[in-house]
Each structure stands twice: as C-alpha cells, then as structure tokens.
Amino acid sequence: MPNANNTEHHAAEPLEDHRLRVFISFSHEDSEKVQIIAEVIENNGMDAIYDKKGLQVGTGFPAEITHFISHAHIFLPLLTETSLERRWVQQEIGYAVASHVPTVPVAINCEPGEFLYGIQAIQLKTLDKTELEERLTREALNTCLQKSPLSGT
C-alpha cells in the first residue's frame, strides 16, 4: 500500500497498459459539471476520483483526500466562479502543487487563481462536453505527465 504521508510525487512514465488516476477537485455547487467531466475521463479509459459525498462542516482536511491527491497521476481542479471562492478547493490545489502532482485545470468562464500561475488551463466559456472529449484524452494527459512544470521533468 502506498505511503499516505509521502508528499513527493514522481512523474510517471506513460501508463499505456494501466488506467490513469485523475483526481478532480471541485465545489459541490458544481456537482453536475463534475459528473460530466468524470464521464469524459472514464470514457477515455481513465479513472475519475472525486469526493461524491461532501466534506462535513467543522472537520479538518481529510487524510483520505490528501492520499488520493498525492497518489493521482493527474490533479484536475474544476475552476468556476464558485469553486475559486471555496476554501477546500484552494487547499486541495495548494496541496497538489506542493506535492508536485501534474495539474490540468479546467476553467469555466473564469481565470485560474494565483496557485496555478504558469500552468496552462483548459479554458471554456461554458461546459462543452464535445470540446472536453477532444481535450481530456489519455494521450493529452500522458503528455502532461511527461512535461509537467510541477513534476520536475
């Protein structure tokens, strides 16, 4: 079992015979959008990992979330006006960046925040499933694994 306390992320070689794990960070107000993104990821032969039940008020940053982020091949924050205002999303972004997890932001009608400065986002005016299907491919995410500015490669 991987060490949940390991915060050093190592860029992986392309995983042609394995499913990429894509952790999606989002605000629960954007649940309908994340379901579409997760479907696109799954349809492209990858595993979409995201919090389906929500965080409980008053609880700390869950170890389970940090474990999933640090062991994901790709960290995908869904950025919307709503999610950019949410503390949990910002904490997850900060943790992923500090852990050097290759990051592929999807920004819908907003600009990525300062944590993601210098990282190219998939910019959309609206959630366009067809465009996502073209851009969130396994090949595109494998390229991110190899060239991520956060992975040190």
Side-chain angles (χ1 to χ4, degrees):
M1 178 168 190
N3 180 355
N5 294 323
N6 180 10
T7 58
E8 183 67 26
H9 189 274
H10 300 284
E13 292 297 318
L15 300 170
E16 289 141 13
D17 295 333
H18 299 90
R19 291 174 68 90
L20 291 179
R21 292 181 306 276
V22 180
F23 183 90
I24 306 170
S25 176
F26 69 103
S27 166
H28 281 272
E29 286 85 351
D30 295 323
S31 291
E32 289 180 18
K33 292 178 178 81
V34 83
Q35 288 173 2
I36 293 168
I37 291 169
E39 180 182 332
V40 168
I41 289 168
E42 295 281 341
N43 288 344
N44 275 309
M46 299 174 281
D47 291 328
I49 302 165
Y50 59 102
D51 179 24
K52 296 174 184 152
K53 61 184 184 268
L55 299 172
Q56 299 300 314
V57 175
T59 61
F61 196 60
E64 182 178 37
I65 298 276
T66 59
H67 173 81
F68 283 129
I69 292 170
S70 63
H71 291 89
H73 295 107
I74 300 286
F75 176 74
L76 188 152
L78 171 58
L79 306 175
T80 64
E81 292 292 332
T82 304
S83 71
L84 289 173
E85 296 175 3
R86 297 298 183 260
R87 182 183 84 236
W88 290 117
V89 173
Q90 296 302 316
Q91 286 183 353
E92 289 172 3
I93 290 169
Y95 184 80
V97 169
S99 299
H100 304 285
V101 179
T103 301
V104 179
V106 173
I108 301 175
N109 200 29
C110 68
E111 290 295 322
E114 61 190 48
F115 276 132
L116 297 170
Y117 179 77
I119 298 174
Q120 183 65 40
I122 295 173
Q123 297 267 349
L124 303 170
K125 292 282 186 207
T126 61
L127 183 59
D128 182 336
K129 186 176 179 181
T130 302
E131 185 174 357
L132 277 176
E133 289 170 338
E134 294 170 3
R135 296 178 74 182
L136 279 180
T137 64
R138 184 181 174 91
E139 294 76 22
L141 295 185
N142 263 334
T143 299
C144 291
L145 280 173
Q146 296 170 358
K147 298 182 178 181
S148 172
L150 298 178
S151 67
T153 60

